[in-house]
């Protein structure tokens, strides 16, 4: 509870005593590259394989003459959009970006780079953290959209390669009774998760004290705490928006 | 001149500074000495405003930095340069960007002028042709020099150095000490150096303040430090054999 209070106070400091707007734009663009572009590879790999696996497993579970083939891809599509892309990729994202943010800020703290900024009168939390959070909230939803596409494409490739269902049925299923709200839901989740990952990791890194060992611990804590927060938020959002 | 008045600071109920008053004189190298863990860095952080004292205040040429309004604090910050123990260069910026950074954030100087000033400062600390090197590519001694260049780039009135020669070999330590002293005299800066190195005390200790477990036990200069009656100071000064032999 005390930690939560400290976290909220920390979020408050992000919006006080800011630098000029141009500085933030530049910093945010730099962060976008770090957060988004550098995550493309891992997101691509994970998404394509996830789509492939889900397609195979769904087909395996739906062996019944009464269920038409296109239901397989329909299930793949709904799982991808509702859960796999926003949530599973968020866990991957926490491992990649969260640990990176915490490690970077933790190192800056113990090597007194943060003190150096503050001596110059810069609000270090706002200067270092705000661009990361904004960049995360810009880039992660894009990664989710990309991931959803790749996931379904991975499934398509698998069905072509293995012949579980025909390409025609696969596409038919993907389009069948498509609920647009699901995409909005996925994007809402993406915004929330990206905020959680960036802010929790920044908080863990920013308040590191000690040495290299503690930086490592801060990185680990950033990932575990982000994952827990993601899963909690996932449940709450599902209750709130789908129930 | 900087005056620290009755500075007290505790962390989690542990008293680190127990009411320290000291003045640091203009145009001189003022040293804060004492063994590790006595609160030297904490005192320095209180003086530059990285830590807010529980009691007491700090005057910069009569201006109350601790209780002053934002505008005054910003003004004083512009006049402060600081060299950190591990140099604290920004990893993601090269040497030139590091040195230029304080001008980027605190002034509206056009780029050409900034570059000129950066090159002047780098030259002043004895570095040339390193502008595009990253901090990870240069030696510890060079990092300290870059740190000094960054600290003086805005023409500070006050220069603070936390253990400027920690992690350096004895010879490089002396050149860094000398550089700090030269800059202090050349630009008539109020310089405060935290150190536990007796070599520095002898070389550049124009004014020396001795801390022991959060108290100031002695003040003087390198000229009379060997003649003090304070037992803790003598233990510190004559810790190594060479000093004992000299005595
Ligand atoms: N931010 C902090 N929180 C808690 N304790 C601190 C903090 N900074 C320093 N201390 C404690 O204050 C004491 C003095 O530290 P310091 O001023 O760094 O010593 P030194 O004289 O070696 O520079 C140490 O015991 C240290 O553990
Ligand atoms: Mg220290």
């Amino acid at each position: 509870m005390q930690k939560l209070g400290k976290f909220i106070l920390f979020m408050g400091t992000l919006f006080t005593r800011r630098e000029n707007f141009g500085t933030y734009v530049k910093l945010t663009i730099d962060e976008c590259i770090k957060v988004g572009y550098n995550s493309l590879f891992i997101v691509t790999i994970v998404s394509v394989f996830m789509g492939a696996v889900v397609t195979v497993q769904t087909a395996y579970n739906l062996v019944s003459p009464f269920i038409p083939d296109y239901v397989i891809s329909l299930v793949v599509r709904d799982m991808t959009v509702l859960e796999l892309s926003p949530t599973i990729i968020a866990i991957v994202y926490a491992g990649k970006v969260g640990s990176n943010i915490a490690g970077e800020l933790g190192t800056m703290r113990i090597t007194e780079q943060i003190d150096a900024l503050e001596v110059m009168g810069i609000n270090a939390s706002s200067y270092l953290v705000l661009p990361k959070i904004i960049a995360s909230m810009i880039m992660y939803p894009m990664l989710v959209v990309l991931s959803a596409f790749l996931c379904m494409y991975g499934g398509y490739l698998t069905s072509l390669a293995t012949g579980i269902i025909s390409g025609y049925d696969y596409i038919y299923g993907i389009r069948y009774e498509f609920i647009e709200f699901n995409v909005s839901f996925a994007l809402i989740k993406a915004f929330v998760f990206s905020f959680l990952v960036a802010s929790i990791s920044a908080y863990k890194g920013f308040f590191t004290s000690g040495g290299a060992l503690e930086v490592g611990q801060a990185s680990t804590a950033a990932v575990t705490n982000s994952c827990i927060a993601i899963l909690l938020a996932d449940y709450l959002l599902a209750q709130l928006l789908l129930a | 001149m900087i005056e620290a008045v009755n500075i007290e600071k505790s962390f989690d109920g542990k008293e680190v500074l127990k009411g320290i008053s000291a003045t640091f004189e203009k145009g001189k190298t003022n040293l804060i000495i004492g063994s590790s863990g006595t609160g030297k860095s904490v005192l320095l952080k209180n003086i530059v405003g990285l830590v807010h004292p529980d009691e007491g205040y700090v005057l910069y040429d009569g201006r109350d930095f601790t209780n002053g309004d934002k505008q005054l604090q910003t003004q004083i910050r512009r006049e402060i340069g600081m060299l950190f123990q591990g140099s604290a260069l920004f990893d993601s910026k090269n040497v030139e960007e590091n040195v230029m950074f304080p001008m980027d954030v605190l002034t509206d100087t056009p780029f050409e002028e900034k570059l000129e000033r950066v090159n002047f400062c780098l030259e002043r600390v004895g570095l040339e042709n390193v502008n595009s090197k990253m901090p990870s590519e240069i030696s510890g001694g060079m990092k300290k020099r870059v740190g000094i260049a960054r600290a003086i780039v805005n023409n500070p009135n006050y220069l603070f150095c936390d253990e400027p020669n920690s992690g350096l070999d004895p010879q490089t330590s002396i050149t860094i000490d000398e550089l700090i002293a030269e800059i202090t005299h050349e630009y008539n800066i109020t310089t405060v150096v935290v150190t536990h190195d007796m070599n520095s005390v002898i070389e550049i200790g124009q004014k020396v303040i001795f801390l022991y477990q959060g108290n100031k036990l002695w003040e003087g200069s390198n000229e009379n430090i060997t003649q003090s009656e304070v037992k803790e100071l003598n233990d510190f000064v004559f810790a190594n054999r060479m000093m004992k032999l000299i005595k």
Side-chain angles (χ1 to χ4, degrees):
Chain A
M1 237 24 231
Q2 203 185 349
K3 281 211 181 117
L4 188 66
K6 211 176 150 205
F7 177 77
I8 291 167
L9 285 179
F10 175 61
M11 288 296 116
T13 64
L14 300 185
F15 299 98
T16 52
R17 201 155 51 89
R18 278 166 301 170
E19 308 305 310
N20 62 39
F21 188 70
T23 313
Y24 280 97
V25 172
K26 195 183 153 298
L27 289 169
T28 305
I29 292 171
D30 289 348
E31 291 298 333
C32 281
I33 293 169
K34 272 202 278 186
V35 163
Y37 182 75
N38 293 348
S39 305
L40 277 180
F41 180 71
I42 183 81
V43 167
T44 304
I45 297 280
V46 173
S47 303
V48 171
F49 276 90
M50 210 158 56
V53 171
V54 169
T55 306
V56 173
Q57 291 190 349
T58 311
Y60 170 76
N61 280 306
L62 288 182
V63 274
S64 157
F66 300 110
I67 303 172
D69 275 356
Y70 69 79
V71 172
I72 297 172
S73 54
L74 186 151
V75 170
V76 170
R77 177 246 288 160
D78 282 348
M79 277 173 73
T80 300
V81 174
L82 284 179
E83 192 66 15
L84 294 177
S85 280
T87 312
I88 303 295
I89 296 295
I91 306 261
V92 173
Y93 184 78
K96 170 104 181 40
V97 172
S99 62
N100 185 298
I101 289 178
E104 184 185 327
L105 291 177
T107 306
M108 290 189 79
R109 166 66 73 191
I110 64 161
T111 58
E112 297 181 308
Q113 291 174 49
I114 291 181
D115 286 347
L117 286 172
E118 298 213 310
V119 165
M120 294 172 205
I122 295 169
N123 177 359
S125 55
S126 150
Y127 183 85
L128 294 172
V129 176
L130 198 57
K132 289 189 198 302
I133 294 182
I134 294 172
S136 180
M137 293 177 77
I138 293 172
M139 298 311 283
Y140 184 65
M142 293 193 202
L143 287 174
V144 168
V145 171
L146 177 77
S147 158
F149 169 76
L150 288 173
C151 201
M152 289 185 262
Y153 194 69
Y156 181 65
L157 290 181
T158 318
S159 48
L160 288 188
T162 60
I164 302 174
I165 64 174
S166 70
Y168 177 82
D169 276 345
Y170 190 89
I171 301 290
Y172 182 80
I174 292 284
R175 290 179 171 171
Y176 188 78
E177 285 194 350
F178 178 67
I179 305 165
E180 276 162 26
F181 176 72
N182 285 356
V183 173
S184 315
F185 181 60
L187 289 177
I188 291 170
K189 286 186 10 167
F191 276 117
V192 173
F193 297 165
S194 58
F195 170 77
L196 287 174
V197 169
S199 58
I200 291 172
S201 307
Y203 171 79
K204 284 288 167 193
F206 200 80
F207 292 107
T208 309
S209 61
L213 184 69
E214 283 79 4
V215 174
Q217 286 168 349
S219 275
T220 313
V223 177
T224 44
N225 285 300
S226 297
C227 288
I228 294 168
I230 287 168
L231 296 174
L232 273 177
D234 193 26
Y235 174 73
L236 289 177
L237 285 174
Q239 276 285 338
L240 224 66
L241 296 174
L242 297 184
Chain B
M1 187 173 74
I2 303 170
E3 295 158 86
V5 184
N6 193 30
I7 304 287
E8 284 178 30
K9 185 71 197 175
S10 304
F11 291 109
D12 315 316
K14 180 169 156 266
E15 261 190 304
V16 176
L17 299 177
K18 300 166 185 166
I20 292 184
S21 298
T23 59
F24 305 98
E25 290 164 31
K26 193 177 173 75
K28 281 191 182 178
T29 43
N30 302 272
L31 268 53
I32 302 174
I33 65 168
S35 39
S36 295
T38 47
K40 304 184 296 294
S41 296
V42 173
L43 177 59
L44 199 66
K45 284 182 179 167
N46 273 285
I47 295 172
V48 298
L50 283 173
V51 169
H52 197 87
D54 299 338
E55 286 290 332
Y57 54 93
V58 181
L59 302 177
Y60 281 79
D61 289 310
R63 298 168 296 175
D64 188 338
F65 181 54
T66 312
N67 305 308
D69 57 22
K70 277 260 152 9
Q71 205 183 346
L72 178 66
Q73 288 183 339
T74 310
Q75 176 53 39
I76 292 174
R77 280 217 164 85
R78 286 207 177 120
E79 301 172 20
I80 290 180
M82 184 157 179
L83 171 65
F84 287 87
Q85 195 161 344
S87 304
L89 302 182
F90 302 117
D91 297 321
S92 56
K93 296 186 194 305
N94 67 22
V95 167
E96 181 179 296
E97 290 162 345
N98 259 291
V99 178
M100 200 180 283
F101 188 78
M103 298 173 92
D104 292 339
V105 296
L106 294 172
T107 69
D108 301 318
T109 322
F111 182 80
E112 292 302 317
E113 267 175 56
K114 284 195 284 197
L115 190 61
E116 204 174 304
R117 175 75 189 155
V118 166
N119 286 328
F120 173 82
C121 290
L122 283 173
E123 209 170 299
R124 183 66 197 81
V125 298
L127 291 175
E128 270 166 63
N129 304 322
V130 292
N131 289 41
S132 55
K133 287 242 174 12
M134 298 306 282
S136 56
E137 297 170 336
I138 59 178
S139 70
M142 283 163 94
K143 279 187 200 164
K144 290 279 154 109
R145 288 173 195 269
V146 176
I148 295 174
R150 183 175 71 180
I152 61 171
V153 76
N154 273 340
N155 273 319
N157 292 327
Y158 315 99
L159 178 63
F160 298 91
C161 310
D162 194 354
E163 312 247 354
N165 38 30
S166 72
L168 299 181
D169 61 89
Q171 211 174 359
T172 313
S173 297
I174 290 173
T175 51
I176 295 289
D177 281 347
E178 279 169 355
L179 183 59
I180 292 169
E182 275 168 32
I183 288 170
T184 303
H185 302 142
E186 203 172 312
Y187 304 109
N188 201 21
I189 302 174
T190 309
T191 298
V192 180
V193 180
V194 163
T195 184
H196 57 223
D197 184 356
M198 271 311 292
N199 286 327
S200 305
V201 176
I202 293 162
E203 290 284 332
I204 61 167
Q206 287 181 296
K207 169 152 190 180
V208 180
I209 285 155
F210 175 67
L211 292 195
Y212 183 79
Q213 293 182 357
N215 289 306
K216 183 178 91 175
L217 291 193
W218 184 85
E219 79 172 75
S221 76
N222 53 4
E223 282 163 9
N224 58 10
I225 195 165
T226 51
Q227 292 123 41
S228 90
E229 300 287 310
V230 180
K231 182 182 172 302
E232 290 82 358
L233 178 62
N234 285 330
D235 289 347
F236 180 84
V237 171
F238 300 107
N240 74 31
R241 204 137 72 108
M242 188 131 98
M243 290 302 292
K244 280 190 197 119
L245 283 176
I246 293 167
K247 193 181 184 188

